[in-house]
């Protein structure tokens, strides 16, 4: 398992990796799952440990639908790279345990630091637990709720940056994200993109 932050897709050069962060959330995760299902798309869900623990049924739905799990820590602390190694370890390992328990034993295959706050230590720790450090190339900026049209044009415009696209299914009203995915997934397919998972 490499400690390098991955962006590439296992489906090759003309593919994208859809990644969905900060959930699971009882309102938005089911809607995201529905639009993924409608388009036959598999994605990677970067989950926050306590939310996985609170909503194990959603975690199991994500796994049952063929999506992959990613450890997105316990507290979503975007300054965790400035904190002691013991803290980083607790954030990563406790969330791994919470997500794995909620899923019924399916382990997260990736680790994404909140806000990209990776350290050499955290990358190595995650990799030693079988979790490939996962970055992104295209930030859809859906978190800021700029409107679904803006989310769509950001993704379309920045796709040349690379294959891994960041969306969110929690942390506030994510109806714009769901709306944008309804348009973007068929558009990506029309452009000839395959949908893959990040390389491990
Ligand atoms: Zn996040």
């Amino acid at each position: 398992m490499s400690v390098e932050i991955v962006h590439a897709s296992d489906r090759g050069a003309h593919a994208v990796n859809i990644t969905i962060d900060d959930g699971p959330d009882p309102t938005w995760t089911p809607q995201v799952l529905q639009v993924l299902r409608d388009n036959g798309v598999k994605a990677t869900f970067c989950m926050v440990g306590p939310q996985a623990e609170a909503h194990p049924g959603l975690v199991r739905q994500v796994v049952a639908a063929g999506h992959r799990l990613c450890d997105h820590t316990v507290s979503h602390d975007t300054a965790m790279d400035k904190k002691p190694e013991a803290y980083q370890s607790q954030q990563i390992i406790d969330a791994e345990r919470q997500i794995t328990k909620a899923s019924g034993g399916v382990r997260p295959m990736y680790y994404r630091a909140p806000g990209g706050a990776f350290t050499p230590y955290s990358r190595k720790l995650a990799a030693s637990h079988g979790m490939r450090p996962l970055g992104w190339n295209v930030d859809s900026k859906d978190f800021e709720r700029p409107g679904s049209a803006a989310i769509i044009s950001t993704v379309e415009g920045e796709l040349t940056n690379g294959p891994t696209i960041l969306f969110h299914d929690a942390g506030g009203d994510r109806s714009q994200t769901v709306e944008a995915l309804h348009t973007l997934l068929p558009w990506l397919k029309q452009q000839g993109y395959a949908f893959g998972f990040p390389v491990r």
Side-chain angles (χ1 to χ4, degrees):
M1 172 70 52
S2 170
V3 302
E4 299 304 321
I5 297 171
V6 67
H7 302 91
S9 176
D10 65 0
R11 296 289 303 276
H14 205 61
V16 293
N17 304 319
I18 303 295
T19 67
I20 313 282
D21 283 22
D22 296 3
D25 178 278
T27 301
W28 305 110
T29 305
Q31 297 187 36
V32 169
L33 283 171
Q34 183 66 49
V35 67
L36 292 170
R37 190 183 309 125
D38 291 345
N39 289 279
V41 170
K42 306 300 181 201
T44 302
F45 285 76
C46 297
M47 294 186 176
V48 174
Q51 282 166 235
E53 198 167 43
H55 307 290
L58 291 174
V59 182
R60 287 170 198 228
Q61 279 181 49
V62 165
V63 168
H67 307 295
R68 288 187 180 177
L69 300 175
C70 167
D71 178 336
H72 203 38
T73 76
V74 172
S75 309
H76 203 279
D77 179 352
T78 56
M80 68 182 279
D81 55 336
K82 312 285 192 296
K83 299 191 176 162
E85 290 184 352
Y87 175 82
Q88 297 179 42
S89 168
Q90 175 262 324
Q91 285 290 312
I92 295 166
I93 304 305
D94 285 1
E96 182 196 20
R97 191 180 309 122
Q98 290 166 331
I99 293 164
T100 302
K101 189 176 175 211
S103 72
V106 179
R107 306 170 64 83
M109 298 170 76
Y110 307 91
Y111 163 61
R112 178 177 272 162
F118 289 100
T119 62
Y121 169 79
S122 70
R123 290 191 285 111
K124 199 172 153 194
L125 177 72
S128 77
H129 281 248
M131 299 184 289
R132 180 79 192 260
L134 173 58
W136 64 86
N137 304 110
V138 179
D139 181 352
S140 71
K141 307 255 180 16
D142 66 332
F143 202 81
E144 296 160 23
R145 291 200 285 267
S148 61
I151 296 169
I152 292 164
S153 69
T154 295
V155 172
E156 291 183 358
E158 294 185 9
L159 211 48
T160 49
N161 293 357
T164 301
I165 312 175
L166 171 62
F167 298 97
H168 297 85
D169 63 346
D173 184 330
R174 294 276 83 90
S175 54
Q176 294 179 8
T177 302
V178 174
E179 191 64 36
L181 286 169
H182 272 293
T183 300
L184 276 169
L185 297 179
W187 179 82
L188 286 162
K189 217 174 288 180
Q190 215 168 51
Q191 304 301 306
Y193 284 96
F195 295 89
F197 293 111
V199 169
R200 290 186 79 246

